[in-house]
Amino acid sequence: MQNSDAMPAGSAPDPANQRAYRDALGRYATGVVVVTAREADGGGPLGITVNSFASVSLDPPLVLWSAARSSVRHAHFTKATAFAVHVLGADQANLAARFSRNGTDFSGLAFTLNEFGVPLLPDALARFECATETLHEGGDHTIILGRVSRYSVGHDGPPLVFTHGRYAQISVS
């Protein structure tokens, strides 16, 4: 007896055709964050939109995120000794889009710098200030593990999520 709702036979990931694999991964909804740091050469503020953020440990307090090696910002974030993760709200898709296109566009943002020179953005749902703990190579990404030194809880509201290749909103009750 065959169930009409059964999943089809699986496919092996194919490096020559990554679209199908990406589409399958896109079925998993993720939160959206902006990670900020200073440029590696001591330059200006830098940001990147990420959906590969996760909590790792409560004791010690550790989080991780992944930086694509193909990103021009990769070298800056993998050399950074400190960074901040900003959890975005549903109304902040424009901020996510800004830092997915251009990592140095802080124009018009009322950000501050913490004691390590890391830019802190206003109005996030939550923020985690971190010291870089370790880096791990993970295929075409570098996994950046950070030890949380300080966190802040901002305004309440639904988070910005990413699913099926686009930003989405969920209701929180």
Side-chain angles (χ1 to χ4, degrees):
M1 182 175 195
Q2 188 172 357
N3 181 346
S4 63
D5 292 332
M7 290 185 69
S11 300
D14 179 1
N17 179 15
Q18 294 180 343
R19 182 78 257 160
Y21 180 59
R22 286 181 61 128
D23 289 346
L25 289 171
R27 302 290 176 126
Y28 182 68
T30 62
V32 181
V33 302
V34 169
V35 180
T36 57
R38 301 259 327 163
E39 289 181 327
D41 58 6
L46 193 65
I48 192 168
T49 301
V50 173
N51 69 340
S52 61
F53 170 71
S55 169
V56 175
S57 170
L58 294 176
D59 187 19
L62 300 172
V63 297
L64 69 76
W65 67 281
S66 301
R69 290 177 194 251
S70 61
S71 171
V72 296
R73 294 170 261 182
H74 179 268
H76 295 288
F77 282 105
T78 56
K79 291 178 183 172
T81 59
F83 60 89
V85 178
H86 304 81
V87 178
L88 300 185
D91 59 343
Q92 294 180 301
N94 60 338
L95 191 61
R98 173 193 293 221
F99 286 109
S100 67
R101 288 187 307 267
N102 181 339
T104 59
D105 184 8
F106 282 76
S107 61
L109 294 178
F111 69 94
T112 58
L113 299 176
N114 71 8
E115 64 270 25
F116 303 106
V118 174
L120 304 177
L121 302 175
D123 302 326
L125 294 182
R127 179 176 57 228
F128 303 90
E129 297 176 57
C130 304
T132 301
E133 183 88 0
T134 55
L135 305 177
H136 299 279
E137 299 311 316
D140 59 4
H141 281 65
T142 299
I143 301 163
I144 301 171
L145 189 67
R147 182 181 291 255
V148 178
S149 57
R150 185 170 35 230
Y151 70 93
S152 303
V153 176
H155 68 280
D156 198 17
L160 181 63
V161 298
F162 191 77
T163 185
H164 290 79
R166 61 187 171 272
Y167 297 120
Q169 298 180 17
I170 60 171
S171 103
V172 177
S173 49

